[in-house]
Amino acid sequence: MAATNEIAEIKVGDKLPDVVLKEGQPDYGAPVDVKLSELTGKIALFGVPGAFTPGCSKSHLPSFITAMDELKAKGVETIICTATNDAFVMEAWGKTSGGADAGIRFLADADNELCTALGLAIPSDTFVRSKRYSLIAEDGVVTHYFSSAEQASDTWAPNVLSAL
Protein backbone atom coordinates (compact mmCIF):
# COMPACT_ATOMS: atom_id res chain seq x y z
CA MET A 1 0.00 0.00 0.00
CA ALA A 2 1.24 3.48 -0.81
CA ALA A 3 2.08 5.89 1.97
CA THR A 4 -0.82 8.09 3.03
CA ASN A 5 0.81 11.26 1.74
CA GLU A 6 0.97 9.75 -1.77
CA ILE A 7 -2.80 9.38 -2.04
CA ALA A 8 -4.62 12.39 -3.45
CA GLU A 9 -7.41 13.85 -1.37
CA ILE A 10 -10.93 13.03 -2.58
CA LYS A 11 -12.54 15.61 -4.85
CA VAL A 12 -15.81 16.27 -6.64
CA GLY A 13 -16.25 13.80 -9.50
CA ASP A 14 -14.37 10.97 -7.80
CA LYS A 15 -16.07 7.65 -7.14
CA LEU A 16 -16.42 6.48 -3.57
CA PRO A 17 -13.75 3.88 -2.85
CA ASP A 18 -14.56 0.19 -2.89
CA VAL A 19 -14.09 -0.39 0.85
CA VAL A 20 -16.04 -2.36 3.41
CA LEU A 21 -17.01 -0.62 6.64
CA LYS A 22 -18.52 -2.29 9.69
CA GLU A 23 -21.83 -1.49 11.32
CA GLY A 24 -22.01 -2.68 14.91
CA GLN A 25 -24.93 -4.80 15.94
CA PRO A 26 -24.03 -5.95 19.46
CA ASP A 27 -27.57 -7.17 20.12
CA TYR A 28 -27.20 -9.62 17.23
CA GLY A 29 -23.55 -10.65 17.44
CA ALA A 30 -20.93 -9.75 14.85
CA PRO A 31 -20.84 -6.40 13.03
CA VAL A 32 -22.39 -6.21 9.58
CA ASP A 33 -20.29 -5.45 6.48
CA VAL A 34 -21.36 -2.37 4.52
CA LYS A 35 -19.75 -1.97 1.11
CA LEU A 36 -19.58 1.79 0.56
CA SER A 37 -19.42 1.59 -3.23
CA GLU A 38 -22.71 -0.35 -3.31
CA LEU A 39 -24.76 2.34 -1.55
CA THR A 40 -27.09 4.01 -4.04
CA GLY A 41 -29.00 7.26 -4.09
CA LYS A 42 -27.91 10.50 -2.50
CA ILE A 43 -25.84 10.06 0.65
CA ALA A 44 -24.21 12.43 3.10
CA LEU A 45 -21.03 10.99 4.57
CA PHE A 46 -19.09 12.72 7.29
CA GLY A 47 -15.89 11.56 8.90
CA VAL A 48 -14.57 12.54 12.29
CA PRO A 49 -11.26 11.93 14.08
CA GLY A 50 -12.89 9.83 16.78
CA ALA A 51 -16.12 8.77 18.44
CA PHE A 52 -16.81 10.39 21.81
CA THR A 53 -14.14 13.07 21.26
CA PRO A 54 -15.13 16.61 22.33
CA GLY A 55 -15.29 18.41 18.97
CA CYS A 56 -16.97 15.49 17.27
CA SER A 57 -19.53 14.98 20.05
CA LYS A 58 -20.30 18.64 20.80
CA SER A 59 -20.29 20.16 17.31
CA HIS A 60 -19.91 18.02 14.20
CA LEU A 61 -22.31 15.17 15.00
CA PRO A 62 -25.00 17.40 16.59
CA SER A 63 -24.98 19.62 13.50
CA PHE A 64 -26.09 16.60 11.45
CA ILE A 65 -28.60 15.40 14.04
CA THR A 66 -30.39 18.75 14.01
CA ALA A 67 -30.24 18.98 10.20
CA MET A 68 -31.77 15.58 9.45
CA ASP A 69 -35.13 16.90 8.25
CA GLU A 70 -33.50 19.55 6.06
CA LEU A 71 -31.08 17.04 4.55
CA LYS A 72 -33.95 14.67 3.76
CA ALA A 73 -35.90 17.57 2.23
CA LYS A 74 -32.92 18.21 -0.06
CA GLY A 75 -33.05 14.59 -1.26
CA VAL A 76 -30.40 13.03 0.96
CA GLU A 77 -31.54 9.46 1.55
CA THR A 78 -28.78 8.14 3.82
CA ILE A 79 -26.62 9.96 6.36
CA ILE A 80 -23.46 8.18 7.52
CA CYS A 81 -20.95 9.04 10.21
CA THR A 82 -17.60 7.27 10.17
CA ALA A 83 -14.49 7.23 12.34
CA THR A 84 -11.50 4.94 12.80
CA ASN A 85 -13.05 3.32 15.87
CA ASP A 86 -14.35 -0.24 15.95
CA ALA A 87 -17.96 -1.08 15.11
CA PHE A 88 -19.04 -1.52 18.71
CA VAL A 89 -17.69 1.89 19.75
CA MET A 90 -19.44 3.50 16.78
CA GLU A 91 -22.67 1.70 17.68
CA ALA A 92 -22.43 2.90 21.29
CA TRP A 93 -21.72 6.48 20.21
CA GLY A 94 -24.70 6.39 17.86
CA LYS A 95 -26.99 5.20 20.63
CA THR A 96 -25.74 7.49 23.41
CA SER A 97 -25.56 10.61 21.22
CA GLY A 98 -29.07 10.29 19.83
CA GLY A 99 -27.64 10.11 16.32
CA ALA A 100 -28.85 6.57 15.66
CA ASP A 101 -32.36 7.49 16.83
CA ALA A 102 -32.24 10.47 14.44
CA GLY A 103 -31.48 8.09 11.55
CA ILE A 104 -27.72 8.46 11.13
CA ARG A 105 -25.81 5.27 10.38
CA PHE A 106 -22.57 4.90 12.35
CA LEU A 107 -20.00 2.93 10.34
CA ALA A 108 -16.57 1.90 11.57
CA ASP A 109 -13.46 2.49 9.51
CA ALA A 110 -11.47 0.48 12.06
CA ASP A 111 -8.76 -0.54 9.58
CA ASN A 112 -8.62 3.06 8.23
CA GLU A 113 -9.24 1.83 4.70
CA LEU A 114 -11.76 4.56 3.91
CA CYS A 115 -9.85 7.55 5.28
CA THR A 116 -6.69 6.27 3.59
CA ALA A 117 -8.44 5.76 0.24
CA LEU A 118 -9.91 9.28 0.52
CA GLY A 119 -6.46 10.73 1.19
CA LEU A 120 -7.64 11.86 4.64
CA ALA A 121 -5.69 9.60 7.01
CA ILE A 122 -3.70 11.15 9.86
CA PRO A 123 -1.07 8.61 10.92
CA SER A 124 0.44 8.67 14.40
CA ASP A 125 2.67 6.45 16.49
CA THR A 126 -0.32 4.61 17.97
CA PHE A 127 -3.04 4.49 15.33
CA VAL A 128 -4.53 6.30 12.34
CA ARG A 129 -7.26 8.88 12.68
CA SER A 130 -9.34 10.48 9.94
CA LYS A 131 -9.28 14.14 9.09
CA ARG A 132 -12.65 15.80 9.62
CA TYR A 133 -14.67 16.02 6.38
CA SER A 134 -18.13 15.81 4.85
CA LEU A 135 -19.23 14.88 1.38
CA ILE A 136 -22.33 14.27 -0.68
CA ALA A 137 -22.33 11.42 -3.18
CA GLU A 138 -24.97 10.40 -5.67
CA ASP A 139 -24.91 6.79 -6.83
CA GLY A 140 -21.31 6.48 -5.66
CA VAL A 141 -19.92 9.69 -7.21
CA VAL A 142 -18.87 12.64 -5.05
CA THR A 143 -20.91 15.73 -5.96
CA HIS A 144 -19.87 17.97 -3.04
CA TYR A 145 -16.81 17.82 -0.78
CA PHE A 146 -16.20 19.79 2.41
CA SER A 147 -12.70 19.87 3.92
CA SER A 148 -11.68 20.96 7.39
CA ALA A 149 -8.38 22.34 6.06
CA GLU A 150 -9.37 25.92 6.91
CA GLN A 151 -12.01 25.48 9.61
CA ALA A 152 -13.67 22.48 11.21
CA SER A 153 -17.04 24.17 10.84
CA ASP A 154 -16.68 24.01 7.04
CA THR A 155 -17.63 20.32 7.39
CA TRP A 156 -20.68 20.79 9.61
CA ALA A 157 -24.22 20.28 8.34
CA PRO A 158 -25.18 23.97 7.89
CA ASN A 159 -22.35 24.39 5.38
CA VAL A 160 -23.36 21.18 3.61
CA LEU A 161 -26.99 22.32 3.45
CA SER A 162 -26.04 25.70 2.01
CA ALA A 163 -24.37 23.94 -0.93
CA LEU A 164 -27.30 21.66 -1.77
Side-chain angles (χ1 to χ4, degrees):
M1 185 162 89
T4 303
N5 61 3
E6 293 178 20
I7 298 174
E9 189 168 321
I10 190 84
K11 63 186 180 311
V12 171
D14 287 350
K15 288 186 178 183
L16 291 177
D18 190 24
V19 297
V20 175
L21 302 175
K22 299 283 186 182
E23 190 164 25
Q25 299 289 335
D27 297 338
Y28 303 105
V32 176
D33 287 350
V34 177
K35 195 165 186 179
L36 193 60
S37 61
E38 292 180 358
L39 296 175
T40 58
K42 191 179 215 177
I43 67 166
L45 171 67
F46 63 101
V48 297
F52 294 104
T53 58
C56 305
S57 294
K58 293 179 182 175
S59 302
H60 202 167
L61 174 58
S63 79
F64 278 87
I65 293 171
T66 59
M68 290 296 291
D69 290 341
E70 292 171 275
L71 287 164
K72 295 284 186 180
K74 299 246 184 189
V76 177
E77 300 164 51
T78 305
I79 295 94
I80 298 168
C81 175
T82 186
T84 56
N85 298 98
D86 69 43
F88 299 108
V89 169
M90 292 300 288
E91 179 81 4
W93 190 37
K95 285 182 178 180
T96 60
S97 67
D101 288 340
I104 297 171
R105 293 181 72 180
F106 287 77
L107 303 184
D109 185 19
D111 295 326
N112 63 72
E113 290 180 44
L114 175 62
C115 66
T116 299
L118 296 177
L120 298 170
I122 307 170
S124 73
D125 291 340
T126 52
F127 58 92
V128 175
R129 290 218 189 251
S130 174
K131 291 181 183 177
R132 185 180 308 279
Y133 68 91
S134 296
L135 63 81
I136 301 294
E138 292 188 48
D139 295 324
V141 177
V142 177
T143 58
H144 298 80
Y145 172 65
F146 307 90
S147 168
S148 63
E150 291 190 29
Q151 294 186 55
S153 61
D154 289 345
T155 66
W156 298 352
N159 196 44
V160 173
L161 282 167
S162 71
L164 296 177

